[in-house]
Amino acid sequence: MNEANETPNTNYHDAIRSLEHTLDRLHGCTDAEREKLHAEFLHLKEMSEKLVKGRIDIVVFGEISTGKSACINAIVGKEITQVDVQGGWTKEIWNVPWDGSGYCIPGLGESGVVLIDTPGLNEVGGTERASMAREAAAKADLILFVTDSDLNETEHSALLELASLHKPLLLVLNKIDLYSPAQRARLQEVLKERLQGVLAKEGVILAAANPKEKEYIIERTDGSSINEWRKPPAEIDELKKAILVLLDREGLSLIALNAALYAADKTDQIAVLRVELREQKAQNFIWSYATLKSVAVALNPAPVADVLGGSVVDVFMVLNLARVYGLEMTWSNANNLVKSILKSAGWVLASEMATHLGSSLLKFFTVGYSTVFSAIPQGAAAGYGSYIVGQAAKKYLEQGASWGEESPKKVVQQILEETDKKSVLNRLKEELRQKLLKNQHVK
């Protein structure tokens, strides 16, 4: 007995746990992160519900007017989606239950099959719809790609991209009623050759989902005859059979594997986005505190007190950086971390302190009047030191309040080597000039 005919197996339960773990990671995000990840949260919830119910999602792709919607109508046996002769009508993602499939996964009471129509590949101005289609493909358990001729460049590229998702993929050669038997055979052969290694041998299925009307000669009982145009029945049985055989063989494994892959992909996306958001917020904090320290130190007329004030700013910066990374840190620990970083920085500490002390002594002997002359060099030096402290603290906090396999000295040295000192100092000097210009007490 194959897996699809058994009750939910170990892989299925592992997939559920994987989705739950990913959702837990979302719950652990900050409010700002959750706001950015709202769409991912909704997609994961939907995937989790789909897995629990055992719903099979079959997503249909193809260019405008190849007959995607007609294929869905023919499969489900009734006209659910509109078929427009002009093409390009599909503007959103459409979910169509295949109630008559007769397929369900044993052990999952709400199991069923849903066909999902997507916008045409060559839809003009379809950037947003293309994004929706990619998301649908990511959640798909089986992909149908509909064409009505040999593949053009757009179709071929799209098909290769879908194949890279490593999901079952059937190529539907639709509108075969427009071709002679010899032409059908040749087209099928060409497609198989072009897609060797991409599709399975049985991966090209012939269909006529919405065949053109034909002229029939109807003979009457009195021997006369009339000409009548009628639409032939859809040729869709081969496609329906291929789908159901695949589902019967691999249905449960398909949804389990797909859900696990989807959860892994979303976990990676969440991790990347969280890093980006925290990186941006951390850098904003570092620049803000570096500027604050520059101004506080530069404009403080009291000798020596400006140096002490600058150290307090560094500690506050580290405390706030810790919160960015979801860590709690005491004042004492933050102060020790700042001292450790400055000690590791060596010449940066020496240079900063020399500038501070020199300026402080000048303030002392001039009773504070030298502030206007010493402000920019002293403030820039203080801000640069704070910038280095912030970058090193960020590295430490990113790794869960650990220096990892490197020593603090090595980490700080690497940051110093990677930092464009001139650029940082110029930016801080410019900030200081703007602050001085706005300060009515500075002439």
Side-chain angles (χ1 to χ4, degrees):
M1 183 181 292
N2 58 47
E3 288 183 341
N5 293 323
E6 297 175 352
T7 53
N9 58 18
T10 304
N11 292 335
Y12 173 81
H13 293 296
D14 287 344
I16 290 178
R17 282 191 290 271
S18 179
L19 281 169
E20 289 174 346
H21 175 70
T22 306
L23 282 166
D24 287 341
R25 292 197 64 180
L26 273 172
H27 286 301
C29 292
T30 65
D31 290 342
E33 290 169 346
R34 274 197 294 272
E35 184 178 347
K36 287 282 186 181
L37 293 165
H38 181 66
E40 278 69 22
F41 179 77
L42 294 179
H43 290 317
L44 281 164
K45 286 284 288 182
E46 182 184 348
M47 178 60 82
S48 180
E49 292 169 2
K50 164 179 143 45
L51 182 61
V52 170
K53 292 178 179 179
R55 191 184 81 221
I56 301 285
D57 280 355
I58 302 175
V59 180
V60 187
F61 287 90
E63 281 201 327
I64 293 172
S65 300
T66 55
K68 296 183 295 89
S69 302
C71 279
I72 292 176
N73 289 338
I75 289 171
V76 300
K78 53 185 175 182
E79 187 165 334
I80 301 293
T81 64
Q82 179 183 351
V83 179
D84 190 333
V85 293
Q86 293 182 351
W89 77 275
T90 309
K91 307 301 182 186
E92 304 292 340
I93 302 296
W94 286 72
N95 292 357
V96 181
W98 187 6
D99 297 328
S101 69
Y103 177 81
C104 69
I105 297 175
L108 300 176
E110 296 183 66
S111 177
V113 182
V114 172
L115 292 155
I116 300 172
D117 197 5
T118 61
L121 299 174
N122 50 349
E123 185 87 47
V124 177
T127 304
E128 183 179 351
R129 293 192 289 276
S131 177
M132 291 190 297
R134 281 194 296 272
E135 181 63 31
K139 290 187 284 190
D141 302 298
L142 169 62
I143 295 172
L144 301 184
F145 193 97
V146 181
T147 186
D148 58 5
S149 62
D150 189 11
L151 299 176
N152 59 37
E153 186 177 344
T154 300
E155 290 175 308
H156 191 256
S157 298
L159 189 57
L160 292 180
E161 185 178 350
L162 291 169
S164 70
L165 297 174
H166 303 294
K167 298 185 178 187
L169 175 60
L170 297 177
L171 177 60
V172 183
L173 178 54
N174 192 29
K175 302 186 181 180
I176 57 170
D177 56 305
L178 303 181
Y179 299 100
S180 68
Q183 289 173 324
R184 296 182 187 184
R186 180 56 185 156
L187 261 177
Q188 196 170 23
E189 183 182 343
V190 168
L191 289 170
K192 286 181 179 179
E193 287 176 0
R194 291 191 64 187
L195 299 170
Q196 190 173 8
V198 178
L199 292 179
K201 288 182 179 180
E202 66 278 9
V204 180
I205 311 295
L206 303 183
N210 186 31
K212 297 293 184 182
E213 290 186 343
K214 289 183 178 180
E215 186 178 14
Y216 292 88
I217 300 175
I218 310 298
E219 291 191 4
R220 295 176 172 174
T221 55
D222 62 2
S224 62
S225 63
I226 61 169
N227 293 355
E228 190 173 296
W229 289 86
R230 294 181 181 178
K231 183 184 287 291
E235 297 180 44
I236 204 72
D237 289 344
E238 183 183 351
L239 176 58
K240 291 165 70 172
K241 179 182 177 182
I243 293 172
L244 293 173
V245 166
L246 181 62
L247 295 185
D248 187 57
R249 186 175 69 235
E250 303 177 23
L252 181 60
S253 296
L254 282 181
I255 63 169
L257 177 61
N258 182 45
L261 289 172
Y262 188 82
D265 179 61
K266 287 300 180 186
T267 297
D268 291 343
Q269 287 185 32
I270 291 166
V272 168
L273 186 54
R274 289 181 74 177
V275 167
E276 288 176 354
L277 288 171
R278 291 179 178 186
E279 171 71 16
Q280 182 180 359
K281 192 171 183 180
Q283 292 294 355
N284 288 341
F285 265 127
I286 291 169
W287 276 111
S288 296
Y289 278 96
T291 303
L292 176 63
K293 184 176 178 180
S294 295
V295 175
V297 170
L299 299 184
N300 191 340
V304 183
D306 54 2
V307 178
L308 298 177
S311 300
V312 171
V313 172
D314 285 344
V315 176
F316 269 115
M317 175 177 63
V318 170
L319 288 171
N320 277 288
L321 284 174
R323 293 190 185 98
V324 170
Y325 291 95
L327 301 171
E328 292 295 329
M329 184 173 280
T330 64
W331 178 276
S332 175
N333 287 339
N335 189 39
N336 289 336
L337 179 59
V338 170
K339 289 179 180 178
S340 172
I341 293 170
L342 288 173
K343 183 178 179 182
S344 299
W347 67 267
V348 173
L349 174 62
S351 174
E352 182 183 343
M353 291 305 295
T355 305
H356 281 193
L357 291 174
S359 298
S360 292
L361 288 173
L362 187 60
K363 287 179 186 178
F364 177 76
F365 289 116
T366 60
V367 199
Y369 288 107
S370 70
T371 298
V372 67
F373 303 108
S374 63
I376 290 180
Q378 184 185 19
Y384 181 71
S386 193
Y387 177 84
I388 297 300
V389 169
Q391 295 297 337
K394 182 174 79 70
K395 186 77 171 178
Y396 174 81
L397 295 166
E398 281 175 348
Q399 301 179 116
S402 167
W403 293 111
E405 298 179 358
E406 306 288 351
S407 66
K409 188 173 183 179
K410 191 169 183 178
V411 171
V412 174
Q413 190 62 39
Q414 185 178 356
I415 289 171
L416 289 170
E417 290 172 358
E418 294 174 352
T419 299
D420 185 345
K421 182 179 180 181
K422 184 178 179 180
S423 174
V424 173
L425 286 173
N426 285 341
R427 177 171 171 177
L428 289 168
K429 286 177 181 179
E430 184 58 32
E431 292 277 357
L432 274 168
R433 288 190 186 97
Q434 295 300 322
K435 297 291 183 183
L436 290 172
L437 287 171
K438 294 177 182 178
N439 192 317
Q440 59 179 335
H441 301 294
V442 179
K443 305 297 181 184

